């Protein structure tokens, strides 16, 4: 019978029988077996999985397993430091969505500027944050280790840096966000995705100089704020360049560049 060797990482081990945790264990199967079938047999829910490596190559759930294959399975994100091995993953399978604690408001705005879904409210309580992380499939970013230690939170990360731009680079590096940015697509205030809007529709609400100089506009369906590529646009381009540069430097420092 074909046999593959399976290793799951971090909190995914909680789903395994104790004798299979934190080791590479054999998984025998008849005929053919997909990664999804293998995970299901092992009791690991695919909703918790972010990255699958089959013989070192990133694959999807439908990939077929063969005799002698080595399967490594990683959770969406860990609530502790990512080891070097785990961090060598290719582009994430899914772009993470975040929820941030009350101390990380500027980081939330920065993440939104880069197009990431970053839920934040200045009055969120711990239960609300934990709920968004547990049921909303979001990664909880926090400076509070006790909050992240709550058992219902599967996806959390302790932010170490204190300065928002450095926090952004830290999170960008940890979650490999550099290849997934989508700037100017989300409202800084509301976290809502912007919609294109014609100049005619919003003409009356535009300052005269903007009316004369710009033709492309987006609008936030939440707060109604209009966006255009004005003087702030160039500053944002520089901001994004700086972010990408910092992440690159961190990769090089970690030996991954
Ligand atoms: Zn808005």
């Amino acid at each position: 019978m074909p046999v593959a060797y399976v290793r799951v990482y971090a909190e995914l081990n909680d789903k395994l029988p104790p004798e299979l945790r934190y080791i590479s264990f054999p998984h025998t199967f008849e005929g053919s077996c997909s990664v999804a079938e293998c995970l299901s047999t092992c009791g690991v829910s695919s909703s918790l999985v972010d990255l699958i490596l089959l013989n070192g190559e990133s694959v999807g759930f439908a990939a077929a397993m063969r005799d002698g294959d080595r399967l490594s399975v990683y959770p969406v994100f860990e609530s502790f430091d990512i080891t070097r091995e785990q961090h060598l993953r290719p582009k994430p399978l899914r772009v993470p969505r975040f929820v941030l604690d009350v101390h990380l408001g500027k980081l939330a705005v920065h993440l939104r500027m880069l197009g990431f879904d970053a839920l934040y409210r200045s009055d969120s309580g711990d239960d609300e944050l934990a709920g968004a992380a547990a049921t909303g499939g979001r990664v909880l970013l926090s400076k509070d280790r006790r909050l992240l230690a709550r058992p219902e939170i599967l996806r959390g990360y302790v932010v170490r840096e204190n300065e928002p731009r450095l926090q952004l680079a830290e999170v960008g590096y940890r979650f490999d966000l550099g290849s997934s940015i989508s700037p100017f697509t989300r409202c800084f205030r509301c976290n809502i995705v912007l919609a294109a809007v014609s100049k005619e529709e919003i003409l009356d609400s535009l300052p005269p100089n903007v009316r004369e100089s710009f033709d492309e506009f987006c609008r936030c369906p939440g707060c109604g704020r209009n966006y255009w590529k004005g003087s702030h646009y160039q500053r944002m381009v520089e901001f994004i360049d700086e972010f990408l540069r910092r992440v690159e430097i961190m990769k090089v420092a970690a030996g991954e560049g």
Side-chain angles (χ1 to χ4, degrees), residues 95-100 108 111-120 136 138-139 141 185-186 190-193:
V95 177
R97 300 183 309 137
F98 300 100
V99 55
L100 294 88
L111 284 166
R112 291 169 185 171
M113 283 168 67
L114 297 182
F116 296 104
D117 186 343
L119 208 61
Y120 167 82
R138 291 175 180 272
V139 179
L141 301 178
T185 56
R186 196 174 286 275
C190 315
N191 194 41
I192 293 174
V193 175

Side-chain angles (χ1 to χ4, degrees), residues 85-220:
E85 181 188 8
Q86 285 165 303
H87 203 76
L88 289 174
R89 66 192 187 281
K91 190 175 172 175
L93 298 181
R94 280 182 292 195
V95 177
R97 300 183 309 137
F98 300 100
V99 55
L100 294 88
D101 81 14
V102 294
H103 305 292
L104 298 173
K106 281 199 173 137
L107 175 59
V109 170
H110 287 345
L111 284 166
R112 291 169 185 171
M113 283 168 67
L114 297 182
F116 296 104
D117 186 343
L119 208 61
Y120 167 82
R121 279 196 12 211
S122 58
D123 59 353
S124 295
D126 284 359
D127 288 341
E128 201 180 327
L129 293 167
T135 59
R138 291 175 180 272
V139 179
L140 176 55
L141 301 178
S142 177
K143 293 192 79 72
D144 182 351
R145 286 173 187 275
R146 276 181 312 174
L147 172 61
L148 290 174
R150 287 168 71 142
E152 69 269 36
I153 297 172
L154 287 174
R155 306 156 190 180
Y157 176 72
V158 181
V159 177
R160 275 78 168 174
E161 296 284 355
N162 292 317
E163 205 274 309
R165 287 191 181 216
L166 297 181
Q167 290 174 340
L168 182 69
E170 179 189 351
V171 171
Y173 168 71
R174 288 291 183 187
F175 294 94
D176 202 13
L177 300 181
S179 55
S180 307
I181 64 171
S182 182
F184 319 114
T185 56
R186 196 174 286 275
C187 182
F188 304 172
R189 283 188 202 160
C190 315
N191 194 41
I192 293 174
V193 175
L194 303 176
V197 65
S198 73
K199 191 174 180 177
E200 290 69 37
E201 276 179 74
I202 56 169
L203 207 55
D204 292 344
S205 60
L206 297 175
N209 61 327
V210 173
R211 221 178 288 172
E212 285 159 22
S213 312
F214 300 95
D215 292 311
E216 285 179 33
F217 298 90
C218 285
R219 170 166 245 186
C220 170

